[in-house]
């Protein structure tokens, strides 16, 4: 049995195709600055007014500037008896370049239409049919021909004799609704499909031909079947690749990142195939098209990406799915500071999910790490708590430890203030300070949110 797939044939031609550069419509009035770029040929700006009353009145003004062109004009509009009124901007064909048009038109009750069309060479690929399939019924898997010496081929009520030393007989030709098989006496064949549509159902292209071989005495030698099928082989999908992408944070291969703008491309997909990039925000239940494979400013969340690959026969395959989690939100350091008078230490509540916590003290302009970030002995100075998550987002909390000297008033920073051995008056600031009485008679004044220890 020989299973043979029909391969599609295509023809590529270059045609000049009209493409719209600008298409503006307005009713009665337009006053707008229009910037556009010409990249093709034969681009001519066209301005036309239409009015079903066949009376068109008004005025216009324009200034057009671009490569080698600076044109302007103004005038009144008066037309009776016709429902359209073209305005010639007098520019002729615009050469390639970037242009700016200041356009003003006032015509009560009229439709205002301004457009620019250019012509560009575009490649068009059209399906032209299926390649002819060739083979030999006596061929083995390696392509070697192992035919008997003298034999007769029998197919569909027709026969063909092959005898060494005799001239070759004319081939058998079998016409079907789907195509034509031509079988020669040496066992070679050519099948030509008459299918002229791309993407036909396989049943509309399938054929099978059974060929019986007997020796010249009529004894059975063998039977062969030629199966003709459409191209149903899925294309090589290739591999999805992230470009301009950084897997930030603690691990560079966990897919958790703060990078929310990147491109995806594909490598090693079938030559000539079409690629559509897709993404999902519901674990692959539904998929949306990612235009040009460009992701920009994605919101925080879980994303899945893949590419759909389509060959010329419209067979489809998909790349392996790649998942990432985008997290651009820094961890929140809220009410995490408490002072333990028994141990004379500032306690830092480090119960922040998936975060790393570090503490530093400012020494001679340099932040010096503190070995134990959760229990910091009281010592005057400037401090900083740093927390980062697995995506690499980080946040800081600055505070100052101070000892009061009779009078202390907090500023805009977070203050952890401890009374001296004498009598002190301590004022908190923004409700985020810790005020600690110590030694003599201390008086503490703070906002409702502030922590005061007597």
């Amino acid at each position: 049995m020989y299973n043979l797939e029909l391969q599609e044939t295509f023809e590529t031609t270059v045609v000049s195709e009209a493409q719209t550069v600008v298409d503006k419509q307005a009713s009665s009035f337009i006053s707008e600055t229009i910037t556009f770029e010409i990249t093709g040929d034969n681009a001519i700006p066209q301005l036309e007014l239409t009015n079903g009353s066949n009376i068109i009145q008004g005025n216009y003004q324009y200034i057009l500037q671009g490569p080698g062109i600076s044109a302007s004009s103004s005038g009144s509009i008066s037309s009776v008896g016709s429902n359209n009124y073209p305005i010639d901007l007098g520019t002729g064909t615009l050469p390639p370049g970037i242009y700016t048009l200041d356009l003003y038109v006032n015509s009560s009750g009229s439709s205002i239409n301004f457009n620019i069309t250019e012509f560009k060479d575009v490649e068009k690929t059209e399906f032209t049919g299926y390649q002819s399939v060739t083979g030999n019924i006596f061929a083995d898997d390696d392509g070697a021909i192992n035919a008997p010496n003298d034999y007769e081929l029998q197919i569909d009520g027709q026969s063909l004799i092959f005898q060494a030393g005799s001239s070759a007989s004319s081939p058998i030709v079998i016409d079907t609704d789907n195509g034509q098989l031509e079988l020669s006496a040496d066992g070679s064949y050519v099948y030509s499909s008459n299918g002229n549509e791309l993407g036909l159902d396989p049943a509309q292209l399938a054929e099978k031909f059974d060929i019986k071989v007997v020796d010249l005495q009529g004894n059975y030698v063998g039977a062969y079947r030629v199966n003709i099928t459409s191209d149903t082989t899925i294309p090589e999908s290739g591999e999805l690749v992230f470009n301009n992408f950084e897997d930030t944070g603690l691990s560079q291969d966990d897919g958790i990142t703060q990078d929310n703008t990147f491109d995806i491309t594909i490598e090693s997909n079938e030559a000539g195939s079409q690629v559509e990039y897709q993404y999902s925000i519901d674990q692959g239940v539904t998929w949306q098209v990612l235009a040009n494979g460009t992701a920009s400013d994605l919101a925080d969340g879980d994303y899945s990406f893949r590419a759909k690959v389509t060959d010329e026969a419209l067979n489809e395959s998909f790349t392996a799915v790649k998942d990432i989690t985008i997290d651009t939100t820094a961890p929140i350091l809220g009410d995490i500071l408490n002072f333990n008078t028994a141990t004379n230490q500032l306690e830092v509540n480090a119960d922040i999910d998936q975060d790393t916590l570090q503490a530093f003290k400012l020494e001679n302009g340099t932040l010096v790490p503190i070995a134990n970030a959760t229990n910091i002995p009281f010592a005057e100075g400037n401090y900083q708590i740093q927390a980062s998550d697995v995506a690499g987002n980080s946040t800081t909390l600055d505070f100052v430890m101070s000892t009061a000297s009779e009078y202390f008033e907090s500023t805009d920073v977070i203050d952890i203030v401890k009374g001296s051995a004498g009598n002190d008056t301590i004022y908190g600031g923004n409700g985020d300070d810790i005020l600690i009485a110590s030694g003599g008679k201390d008086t503490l004044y703070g906002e409702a949110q502030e922590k005061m220890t007597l």
Side-chain angles (χ1 to χ4, degrees):
M1 179 183 293
Y2 300 93
N3 293 310
L4 305 168
E5 286 189 350
L6 293 171
Q7 300 297 317
E8 300 78 8
T9 59
F10 298 85
E11 183 177 283
T12 299
T13 57
V14 177
V15 297
S16 182
E17 184 177 85
Q19 297 186 356
T20 300
V21 179
V22 179
D23 187 13
K24 292 280 186 181
Q25 291 89 35
S27 178
S28 299
F29 176 81
I30 186 173
S31 179
E32 189 171 341
T33 298
I34 304 169
T35 300
F36 57 92
E37 182 177 10
I38 300 299
T39 58
D41 301 319
N42 300 321
I44 298 178
Q46 295 179 315
L47 177 61
E48 185 178 56
L49 281 66
T50 58
N51 195 316
S53 69
N54 290 346
I55 299 175
I56 304 175
Q57 305 286 342
N59 54 82
Y60 70 91
Q61 180 178 340
Y62 71 87
I63 300 174
L64 176 65
Q65 293 181 318
I69 291 179
S70 181
S72 63
S73 182
S74 61
S76 59
I77 301 168
S78 181
S79 174
V80 177
S82 175
N83 65 357
N84 73 297
Y85 184 87
I87 298 174
D88 184 5
L89 300 189
T91 62
T93 300
L94 299 178
I98 297 176
Y99 294 81
T100 300
L101 173 68
D102 293 314
L103 179 64
Y104 169 86
V105 180
N106 185 12
S107 178
S108 179
S110 298
S111 296
I112 304 166
N113 300 282
F114 174 74
N115 67 80
I116 302 175
T117 300
E118 65 182 5
F119 290 83
K120 299 182 74 173
D121 287 343
V122 178
E123 282 192 353
K124 295 280 189 178
T125 300
E126 295 183 350
F127 171 73
T128 57
Y130 295 90
Q131 294 180 4
S132 295
V133 176
T134 62
N136 191 298
I137 64 172
F138 299 122
D140 61 20
D141 292 340
D142 297 323
I145 306 299
N146 299 300
N149 291 328
D150 300 308
Y151 55 85
E152 179 181 336
L153 302 179
Q154 299 176 353
I155 179 174
D156 198 30
Q158 302 183 59
S159 64
L160 190 60
I161 293 176
F162 178 88
Q163 192 169 13
S166 299
S167 58
S169 302
S170 299
I172 294 174
V173 176
I174 299 176
D175 290 304
T176 70
D177 291 338
N178 295 341
Q180 182 185 82
L181 179 74
E182 183 178 288
L183 177 64
S184 299
D186 63 357
S188 63
Y189 58 84
V190 178
Y191 175 80
S192 301
S193 173
N194 58 18
N196 57 9
E197 294 181 40
L198 184 62
L200 290 174
D201 186 282
Q204 294 179 266
L205 296 171
E207 298 265 33
K208 66 178 180 179
F209 300 94
D210 291 312
I211 304 167
K212 183 179 178 181
V213 182
V214 298
D215 63 21
L216 298 185
Q217 287 73 45
N219 299 309
Y220 176 82
V221 174
Y224 302 88
R225 169 172 288 182
V226 176
N227 268 342
I228 305 296
T229 63
S230 62
D231 178 5
T232 57
T233 302
I234 63 173
E236 196 66 39
S237 60
E239 181 181 1
L240 201 65
V241 178
F242 284 71
N243 296 317
N244 303 314
F245 173 78
E246 181 182 1
D247 192 340
T248 60
L250 299 178
S251 171
Q252 276 65 61
D253 57 7
D254 61 0
I256 302 175
T257 181
Q258 57 184 248
D259 189 351
N260 62 1
T261 298
F262 48 85
D263 301 313
I264 57 176
T265 55
I266 193 172
E267 293 181 350
S268 303
N269 57 304
E270 183 171 306
S273 58
Q274 301 295 315
V275 178
E276 178 184 271
Y277 299 102
Q278 301 177 343
Y279 73 98
S280 172
I281 56 175
D282 53 13
Q283 289 76 51
V285 177
T286 59
W287 293 89
Q288 303 175 60
V289 174
L290 183 66
N292 302 317
T294 300
S296 178
D297 293 325
L298 296 180
D300 285 11
D302 296 325
Y303 292 83
S304 301
F305 295 91
R306 71 180 184 183
K308 181 174 77 172
V309 179
T310 306
D311 67 12
E312 293 177 330
L314 305 183
N315 300 304
E316 296 178 354
S317 63
F318 294 89
T319 62
V321 174
K322 291 192 174 182
D323 299 315
I324 66 170
T325 297
I326 295 176
D327 177 7
T328 61
T329 303
I332 298 174
L333 293 178
D335 186 13
I336 66 170
L337 302 179
N338 289 285
F339 192 81
N340 189 330
T341 56
T343 61
N344 198 37
Q345 290 183 336
L346 182 70
E347 297 177 344
V348 181
N349 176 15
D351 186 19
I352 303 174
D353 188 31
Q354 299 186 56
D355 293 343
T356 59
L357 197 69
Q358 293 178 292
F360 301 87
K361 184 179 182 183
L362 188 65
E363 301 279 3
N364 298 320
T366 302
L367 288 174
V368 178
I370 299 172
N372 189 344
T374 59
N375 290 280
I376 305 173
F378 183 87
E380 289 190 305
N382 294 295
Y383 293 82
Q384 186 178 88
I385 300 294
Q386 296 181 2
S388 59
D389 59 22
V390 293
N393 303 296
S394 62
T395 189
T396 60
L397 180 69
D398 295 302
F399 61 91
V400 180
M401 288 193 192
S402 304
T403 300
S405 179
E406 293 187 4
Y407 179 87
F408 183 95
E409 184 174 352
S410 177
T411 57
D412 289 337
V413 300
I414 299 175
D415 285 297
I416 291 87
V417 188
K418 187 177 180 183
S420 66
N423 299 328
D424 303 296
T425 300
I426 304 174
Y427 287 88
N430 297 324
D432 53 6
D433 304 308
I434 298 177
L435 314 180
I436 309 152
S438 177
K441 183 180 179 182
D442 295 332
T443 304
L444 309 180
Y445 297 92
E447 299 289 335
Q449 300 92 339
E450 287 177 318
K451 300 173 183 178
M452 294 182 285
T453 303
L454 301 175

